[in-house]
Amino acid sequence: MTATTPPKSRKLPTQAIGAKIFHSVNIISLFLMLTSGLQIYNANPVFGGRAGLHIPPIFTLGGWLAGGRHWHFAAMWVFSLNLLWYGFYILITRRWRHRFVGANDIKALQKSQNSQRLIYAWHRIIYTSIIPILLLALLTGVGMYKPAQFPWIVDMFGDWQSLRIVHFASVPMVILFVIIHSLLGRKAGGEQLTESMFW
């Protein structure tokens, strides 16, 4: 009678503490910016003027225009500083080599038949694509926050209304990124990988 070797247990995915902090702060600050931004939007809707589509109060934060602005800009600073320190973090730890799209990922999309390899390639492409979207959201946000100090930002987009539309349009793009990023993460490593990003 031969002894059977017990199956190897699957190694649970882990994330560095820096990544956990980054993801947690990101989710909180994005939620605060989204809900307070909707409160600001209600004061003067982007589409239709003051009589345009209004967001129900249950989805907003701040209670009124000034309250929404206070929450929005406070969360913006938290989000921006979190993004800045994470940028330094991935440069110092060289995590960027495994997080952002490279030539091998483009080749994989063209030639690879390995479904797991394709998931990783798409994951890096999506992860990289959020950078210009976030920079656009921050740039337009600063232009709306301080138009007198940064008139060139307003001029870049033509006028104030165009600037507001672009800033507003960045919101669904960020939400779409979060959804796709989460789905690809689950496909790549299951729920355990997604959970390891936070705790």
Side-chain angles (χ1 to χ4, degrees):
M1 185 174 180
T2 58
T4 58
T5 305
K8 292 183 179 179
S9 58
R10 183 183 175 188
K11 185 179 179 182
L12 296 177
T14 58
Q15 296 286 334
I17 186 65
K20 292 177 186 288
I21 294 172
F22 170 73
H23 283 100
S24 298
V25 173
N26 250 7
I27 289 295
I28 295 171
S29 56
L30 278 172
F31 176 78
L32 294 176
M33 282 194 296
L34 174 63
T35 52
S36 60
L38 291 176
Q39 180 66 59
I40 298 170
Y41 167 90
N42 274 349
N44 186 14
V46 173
F47 306 106
R50 296 189 183 279
L53 175 67
H54 277 69
I55 308 299
I58 193 173
F59 299 114
T60 65
L61 175 67
W64 58 311
L65 175 59
R69 285 171 57 88
H70 290 326
W71 276 106
H72 197 70
F73 295 131
M76 179 202 71
W77 279 112
V78 173
F79 178 79
S80 301
L81 292 174
N82 186 50
L83 202 63
L84 181 63
W85 88 258
Y86 190 69
F88 286 121
Y89 172 73
I90 61 175
L91 283 175
I92 294 171
T93 60
R94 297 186 178 181
R95 291 170 65 89
W96 59 271
R97 295 182 300 178
H98 311 292
R99 293 291 181 268
F100 300 112
V101 64
N104 290 336
D105 296 310
I106 304 301
K107 290 178 182 177
L109 293 180
Q110 298 171 338
K111 301 179 180 179
S112 178
Q113 301 297 319
N114 186 322
S115 60
Q116 197 72 6
R117 179 67 185 90
L118 291 173
I119 289 173
Y120 284 127
W122 277 114
H123 205 176
R124 292 192 183 101
I125 290 171
I126 295 298
Y127 199 87
T128 305
S129 69
I130 194 61
I131 295 175
I133 294 173
L134 291 178
L135 291 177
L136 180 65
L138 289 171
L139 178 67
T140 53
V142 169
M144 293 171 62
Y145 180 41
K146 297 288 186 179
Q149 289 82 352
F150 302 101
W152 58 270
I153 297 180
V154 180
D155 294 339
M156 281 178 61
F157 296 90
D159 55 30
W160 174 258
Q161 179 67 1
S162 299
L163 181 70
R164 293 184 70 229
I165 291 174
V166 173
H167 186 71
F168 185 76
S170 69
V171 175
M173 287 191 285
V174 172
I175 293 174
L176 186 63
F177 162 79
V178 172
I179 294 172
I180 296 176
H181 180 48
S182 176
L183 291 175
L184 288 175
R186 287 176 183 272
K187 281 192 174 184
E191 290 187 12
Q192 293 174 333
L193 175 62
T194 305
E195 292 174 359
S196 72
M197 294 180 183
F198 300 97
W199 49 76

